[in-house]
């Protein structure tokens, strides 16, 4: 299965997906011209992985500092996709700067509809 | 811009589109059923469709706003960097000008002292030359064995007088050189040392004497002779020089004789109070709060750089760690009060 390694740009985050380890990390800022170009590849690998996880779990680390509205919508879709993969053991770590109340609230919003996914709010300083 | 385009293989509103398609199919399946039910489901589907459109619109608007904000922020950062760079360049230019001004005032000082030394050296030289002539004449008489008591007595008088004049004038020249040397060294080295304030003031005034004497100005110094400072004599000398030159440039019309005063008191808490005043034309009300600004001058055309008092301000508040103010006074003229610690910071 494919791994994914996308370097950060000024307006898009760094993305690391390791299919053998079952980890995905999205780190940085996200306010691209076209959110589907940034999140499309992530959706594709996730779909493949979740479809044939075969007992393996998935750990997702979000280390986002800032994102725009279409990125937020893409994230919402991504959480929906994770939630729908009820047979895969999924853990999400939502990192935010301890003093960034907004980013914390975004995490809480996203976690609201999740039942199968373990969602951790992780404040860092 | 963000949805619709499916280069990445997905639409942001993919799920919503599928539900809308489902609703369309559902309505299609219901079209032969209860018209009331059909109408109510149709209303729900319409409302959802509008809601999704509204979501798309909001996401678009919000993205655009966030973009603009980011661009504005970047612009702000760029402008700020530019402004800071410009400020730094300005600071450097000012520093260079201040340095140039200091050197120029040192140059004027050298010129003045050279002029001042010229007089005693000239007198000593003509005395020596006169003595030489007299000696040659008396030797000629002596060798011709034609020397009389009167001749010899006259020669002795000449020799005594000229020798006295030569000694006095050479001492005068040596004094001038000594005091100038001290001023010049302090001025250029800006080294810290302990010094008697009265000596520094006297030496500075001596070095300015050529400028003062031309117009017949007088300087009264009133300073405790035992007041010893630990700090920068060159700075004090520069400050006084700038005050005096300002008085001479601005204070007096040609032909008026000025009375300049330097008064020093050793105050409490080891604080030195130095007041410099003149009895010239004073400083007009409109200029009073601008005189310490760099490049402020009323004599731009005639060679004023507008840096004299700015340098004073920088030196007093900088190296001396003190304050300088232009005093309000009833008497004519200008009066500046400096207060600074006896031991420089």
């Amino acid at each position: 299965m494919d791994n994914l390694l996308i370097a950060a740009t000024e307006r898009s985050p760094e993305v690391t997906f390791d299919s053998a380890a079952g980890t995905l990390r999205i780190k940085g800022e996200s306010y691209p011209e076209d959110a589907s170009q940034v999140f499309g590849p992530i959706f594709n690998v996730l779909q493949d992985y979740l479809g044939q996880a075969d007992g393996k779990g998935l750990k997702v680390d979000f280390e986002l500092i800032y994102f725009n509205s279409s990125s937020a919508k893409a994230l919402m879709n991504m959480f929906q996709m994770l939630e729908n993969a009820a047979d895969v053991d999924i853990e999400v770590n939502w990192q935010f700067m301890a003093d960034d109340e907004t980013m914390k609230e975004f995490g809480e919003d996203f976690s609201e509809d999740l039942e199968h996914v373990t969602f951790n709010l992780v404040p860092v300083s | 811009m963000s949805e619709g385009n499916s280069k990445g293989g997905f639409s942001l509103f993919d799920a919503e589109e599928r539900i809308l398609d489902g609703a369309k199919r559902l309505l299609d399946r219901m079209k032969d059923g209860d018209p009331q039910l059909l109408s109510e489901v149709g209303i729900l589907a319409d409302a959802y469709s509008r809601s999704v459109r509204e979501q798309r619109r909001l996401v678009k608007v919000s993205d655009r706003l966030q973009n603009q904000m980011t661009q504005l922020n970047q612009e702000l950062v760029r402008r700020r960097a530019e402004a800071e760079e410009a400020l730094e360049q300005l600071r450097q230019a000012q520093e260079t000008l201040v340095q140039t001004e200091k050197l120029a005032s040192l140059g004027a000082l050298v010129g003045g002292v050279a002029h001042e030394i010229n007089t005693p050296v000239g007198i000593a030289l003509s005395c020596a030359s006169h003595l030489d002539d007299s000696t040659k004449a008396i030797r000629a008489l002596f060798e011709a064995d034609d020397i009389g008591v009167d001749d010899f007595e006259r020669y002795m008088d000449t020799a005594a007088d000229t020798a006295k004049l030569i000694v006095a004038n050479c001492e005068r020249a040596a004094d001038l050189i000594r005091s100038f040397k001290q001023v010049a060294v302090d001025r250029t080295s800006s080294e810290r040392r302990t010094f008697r304030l009265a000596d520094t003031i006297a030496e500075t005034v001596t070095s300015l004497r050529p400028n003062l004497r031309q117009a017949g100005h007088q300087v009264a110094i009133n300073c405790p002779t035992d007041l010893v400072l630990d700090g920068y004599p060159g700075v004090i000398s520069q400050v006084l020089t700038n005050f005096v030159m300002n008085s001479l440039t601005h204070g007096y019309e040609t032909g008026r004789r000025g009375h300049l005063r330097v008064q020093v008191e050793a105050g409490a808490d080891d604080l030195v109070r130095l007041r410099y005043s003149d009895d010239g034309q004073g400083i007009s009300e409109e200029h009073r709060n601008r005189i310490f600004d760099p490049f402020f001058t009323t004599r731009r055309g005639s060679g004023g750089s507008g840096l004299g008092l700015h340098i004073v301000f920088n030196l007093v508040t900088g190296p001396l760690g003190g304050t300088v103010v232009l005093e309000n006074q009833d008497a004519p003229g200008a009066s500046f009060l400096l207060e600074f610690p006896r031991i420089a910071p």
Side-chain angles (χ1 to χ4, degrees), chain A residues 10-11 31 33-37 39-40 43-44 66-70 73-74 77, chain B residues 1-2 5-8 10-13 16 55 59 62-63 66-67 69-70 74:
Chain A
E10 197 192 342
R11 309 177 60 162
Y31 51 105
E33 284 283 337
D34 181 358
S36 68
Q37 275 194 344
F39 288 91
F43 279 40
N44 290 338
Y66 175 77
F67 49 81
N68 65 0
S69 297
S70 52
K73 181 72 173 93
N77 293 357
Chain B
M1 77 191 206
S2 41
N5 176 343
S6 55
K7 264 184 250 165
F10 88 109
S11 152
L12 278 180
F13 288 86
E16 288 82 352
Q55 262 196 70
V59 165
S62 175
D63 272 6
Q66 282 159 331
N67 253 347
M69 201 182 71
T70 310
Q74 284 166 349

Side-chain angles (χ1 to χ4, degrees), chain A residues 60-113:
Chain A
V60 189
D61 288 318
F62 289 98
E63 299 176 28
L64 291 167
I65 304 164
Y66 175 77
F67 49 81
N68 65 0
S69 297
S70 52
S71 299
K73 181 72 173 93
L75 288 171
M76 197 105 86
N77 293 357
M78 193 192 274
F79 281 114
Q80 199 59 47
M81 184 190 285
L82 297 176
E83 177 65 13
N84 289 342
D87 53 336
V88 183
D89 192 16
I90 300 177
E91 181 186 356
V92 171
N93 291 307
W94 184 264
Q95 261 190 31
F96 59 96
M97 299 306 283
D99 58 357
D100 189 346
E101 200 58 33
T102 311
M103 207 41 96
K104 184 186 173 198
E105 278 169 14
F106 275 128
E108 287 167 350
D109 279 350
F110 287 138
S111 69
E112 222 158 77
D113 297 323

Side-chain angles (χ1 to χ4, degrees), chain B residues 209-255:
Chain B
R209 202 167 289 153
N211 306 69
L212 291 164
R213 209 178 39 198
Q214 256 172 3
H217 301 306
Q218 286 178 346
V219 183
I221 302 171
N222 191 342
C223 176
T225 49
D226 57 350
L227 180 57
V228 174
L229 269 58
D230 177 356
Y232 307 94
V235 167
I236 290 175
S237 173
Q238 177 84 56
V239 166
L240 274 180
T241 301
N242 288 12
F243 277 147
V244 171
M245 294 315 289
N246 253 21
S247 291
L248 300 194
T249 312
H250 301 286
Y252 303 100
E253 288 159 27
T254 316

